[in-house]
Amino acid sequence: MIAYLQSSNATNYIRILNGGGGTVDSYLFIGTFNGTANYATFTGSGSGWNDINSNTPATNILQTWRLMGMTVASSSLTPYLDGTAQNIKTGTTGAFTGLNIGGVYSTNQTQQCFQGYIGEILIYNLALSALQRQQVEAYLARKWGLLGGGMQTISTFSPTSVAGCGLWLDATDLSTFTYQSGSNINIWTDKTTGVQAQYSTAAGSVNYPVSGSNINGRNAVFFNQSSLLATTTQSVTTRSYFDITLS
């Protein structure tokens, strides 16, 4: 995921990407740790979370474009930040229904909504090999002008070149947006199967996400801490998640 976190929450978690629909939301978390701007990823079974600590080494992701991802194995997950693996965490997740972008599908968790920009989200239904992960990361980094660090320079690549791409939300493809009015987004459509992430008021949302040019001249989607897009009917058996979020 390519994303930019504009502000953190001094007393709570921030959920950039959250797995699960309705009141059952404890399957997948990508965001910041409780009361900090430190990068955090964890998974759960639907009845509770595993290893809900901040990723280590602790990394503040506030107000910097970051490439975030993780790969889930049978009983562990490996977080990645800007192409570099962080320490392995315990926990896994099974199949679940519904993905929430910018928050959580619950009116009880409005304080955990994200404020910042998202450029692109990729989810794969299998654990990528090291080479496949490097290809995905290099594609995102090159496209969004973030190449550096542990990321590899690899030839021209499309996310669907790797088998198992279950979700691809691309803010540079304006044809994937359906607008409520002006640049206010009502629906963001996935480029693999056509799944629609729709504006939802379930988290107390009062403002629509906004489309605009933000990352090195490329279009991104702004979430203002009171915006939520949800795919409430999508079945997910995900094993690898990559996105670019401006934090």
Side-chain angles (χ1 to χ4, degrees):
M1 172 163 59
I2 296 287
Y4 181 93
L5 177 64
Q6 189 171 74
S7 67
S8 58
N9 189 315
T11 60
N12 223 307
Y13 296 89
I14 293 294
R15 306 194 194 204
I16 301 172
L17 186 64
N18 190 86
T23 58
V24 181
D25 62 10
S26 50
Y27 287 100
L28 166 70
F29 178 102
I30 297 180
T32 62
F33 182 64
N34 193 20
T36 75
N38 291 340
Y39 179 42
T41 58
F42 37 86
T43 58
S45 62
S47 59
W49 294 106
N50 303 302
D51 200 349
I52 61 172
N53 298 306
S54 175
N55 295 349
T56 54
T59 307
N60 187 306
I61 61 172
L62 185 64
Q63 297 180 353
T64 308
W65 282 103
R66 308 307 291 253
L67 194 162
M68 295 177 260
M70 68 178 179
T71 297
V72 180
S74 58
S75 60
S76 65
L77 68 90
T78 304
Y80 292 89
L81 185 62
D82 298 334
T84 300
Q86 296 189 298
N87 292 340
I88 295 174
K89 303 183 72 174
T90 59
T92 187
T93 185
F96 58 85
T97 300
L99 279 169
N100 308 302
I101 304 161
V104 57
Y105 199 78
S106 171
T107 55
N108 298 323
Q109 301 292 350
T110 56
Q111 71 275 22
Q112 296 187 15
C113 288
F114 168 65
Q115 181 170 341
Y117 300 86
I118 294 178
E120 192 157 348
I121 298 173
L122 292 168
I123 296 181
Y124 290 86
N125 294 323
L126 47 82
L128 302 186
S129 68
L131 176 60
Q132 289 171 329
R133 176 182 55 78
Q134 289 169 354
Q135 288 175 322
V136 172
E137 290 171 336
Y139 155 80
L140 290 170
R142 198 167 46 242
K143 177 176 179 177
W144 294 94
L146 303 177
L147 193 62
M151 289 170 277
Q152 305 294 314
T153 301
I154 297 176
S155 59
T156 303
F157 173 83
S158 168
T160 54
S161 299
V162 173
C165 186
L167 183 79
W168 179 11
L169 295 173
D170 180 4
T172 68
D173 188 345
L174 301 185
S175 69
T176 63
F177 296 138
T178 300
Y179 298 100
Q180 173 67 19
S181 62
S183 57
N184 296 323
I185 297 169
N186 187 41
I187 297 173
W188 191 359
T189 302
D190 158 54
K191 295 175 70 169
T192 58
T193 63
V195 166
Q196 294 183 336
Q198 297 183 318
Y199 170 76
S200 172
T201 59
S205 300
V206 295
N207 292 298
Y208 288 87
V210 177
S211 172
S213 181
N214 291 285
I215 312 178
N216 298 327
R218 291 188 177 275
N219 194 74
V221 177
F222 178 67
F223 292 78
N224 69 352
Q225 214 165 6
S226 61
S227 308
L228 175 68
L229 294 175
T231 66
T232 56
T233 60
Q234 184 189 22
S235 295
V236 181
T237 55
T238 48
R239 287 295 175 266
S240 293
Y241 319 82
F242 291 92
D243 43 41
I244 292 192
T245 305
L246 183 53
S247 337

